[in-house]
Amino acid sequence: MEKEEPQAESRLLSKESRSKHQLIGQLFDTYWLIQFEDKLFIMDQHAAHEKVLYERTMKSLADRTYTSQQISPPVLVSLSVREQETLQQHMSRFTDLGFEIEFFGGREYAIRAVPDNLFGLQDEKLFLDLLDSLSEESGVGAGRAVHEKVASMSCKAAVKGKMSLSFAEANALIDELLTLDNPYACPHGRPTIISMSRYELEKKFKRIV
């Protein structure tokens, strides 16, 4: 099975084509089968949802439309001297993103709120990864690096393989893919959708020699 040519993919994920999709069902609790014209399309629900979350997060960061959620109890992190210096230098960036961080004494800081898209992922490692991104960059590059890291982290909230989705949830995911500029690959470069033509199927069943 080969990845379909971009022109055919564009026909699938277009508003004009949407009403002609036939959502057949879920395979292995991971893939969704979609019939469109003379092709069978297979959507990886995890890769597709990752792409949606990544693009949604990057847009909210660019538009500054993100919000925060309070954490109770707060997450306590212990920082090295270098990490404390990086945090103090870039505290306004964290605040702008929706973090609420307070000095807790000694080497410890309390994270009391996180951006909406990271809620539920508020562990120490994620926060330290963000600090590392900032310590390795400067100026405009630092802002871009932390945006990319936050967006990548948001992908962790994507629906996983081996999770059963309803037809309504699968249709909603397809609708969200339609809103993206490039919905055909996840942020890590894996395809979200592959296809097989009717001709290929009939060759496999030896209907065509």
Side-chain angles (χ1 to χ4, degrees):
M1 183 175 294
E2 298 181 355
K3 190 171 181 291
E4 186 55 31
E5 293 297 320
Q7 288 182 339
E9 288 181 339
S10 298
R11 289 201 302 273
L12 174 76
L13 291 179
S14 68
K15 292 179 181 178
E16 296 75 22
S17 302
R18 185 67 177 100
S19 63
K20 301 175 185 175
H21 291 178
Q22 293 183 48
L23 191 60
I24 298 170
Q26 190 179 30
L27 179 66
F28 306 135
D29 287 337
T30 301
Y31 307 103
W32 280 88
L33 308 181
I34 307 161
Q35 181 181 333
F36 175 63
E37 294 181 343
D38 63 346
K39 292 183 175 62
L40 171 66
F41 291 85
I42 304 175
M43 178 179 72
D44 181 329
Q45 65 187 30
H46 177 64
H49 197 206
E50 274 194 331
K51 182 64 171 185
V52 166
L53 290 179
Y54 180 86
E55 294 295 338
R56 185 191 299 164
T57 300
M58 287 301 287
K59 185 177 188 306
S60 72
L61 292 172
D63 297 343
R64 302 176 66 86
T65 56
Y66 37 82
T67 56
S68 302
Q69 283 209 38
Q70 296 292 313
I71 302 172
S72 182
V75 174
L76 296 180
V77 294
S78 183
L79 304 181
S80 67
V81 172
R82 182 187 178 191
E83 289 168 338
Q84 289 182 69
E85 291 174 350
T86 301
L87 177 60
Q88 293 303 321
Q89 182 181 356
H90 296 286
M91 182 66 83
S92 62
R93 290 190 188 277
F94 282 97
T95 301
D96 288 345
L97 287 170
F99 284 93
E100 185 179 316
I101 304 168
E102 292 182 359
F103 178 62
F104 200 72
R107 296 170 49 198
E108 291 192 317
Y109 289 78
I111 304 174
R112 301 189 179 278
V114 295
D116 263 342
N117 57 298
L118 296 185
F119 190 72
L121 304 173
Q122 63 270 18
D123 64 28
E124 182 175 350
K125 184 179 184 303
L126 294 177
F127 178 70
L128 295 179
D129 282 348
L130 278 177
L131 277 180
D132 287 342
S133 296
L134 285 168
S135 66
E136 294 169 2
E137 299 283 350
S138 61
V140 176
R144 180 66 184 180
V146 77
H147 282 196
E148 289 280 359
K149 181 67 73 172
V150 168
S152 293
M153 287 176 177
S154 72
C155 292
K156 295 180 184 294
V159 63
K160 303 298 188 289
K162 305 296 184 183
M163 290 180 65
S164 181
L165 296 184
S166 68
F167 272 73
E169 289 169 326
N171 272 312
L173 182 54
I174 294 171
D175 286 338
E176 290 209 73
L177 282 174
L178 289 175
T179 68
L180 307 182
D181 291 334
N182 179 17
Y184 307 114
C186 81
H188 314 295
R190 292 196 304 109
T192 59
I193 294 174
I194 61 175
S195 70
M196 178 179 281
S197 68
R198 181 174 181 174
Y199 176 81
E200 290 174 286
L201 281 170
E202 292 188 340
K203 278 195 69 174
K204 288 181 180 296
F205 282 106
K206 300 190 183 300
R207 288 177 174 269
I208 299 174
V209 179

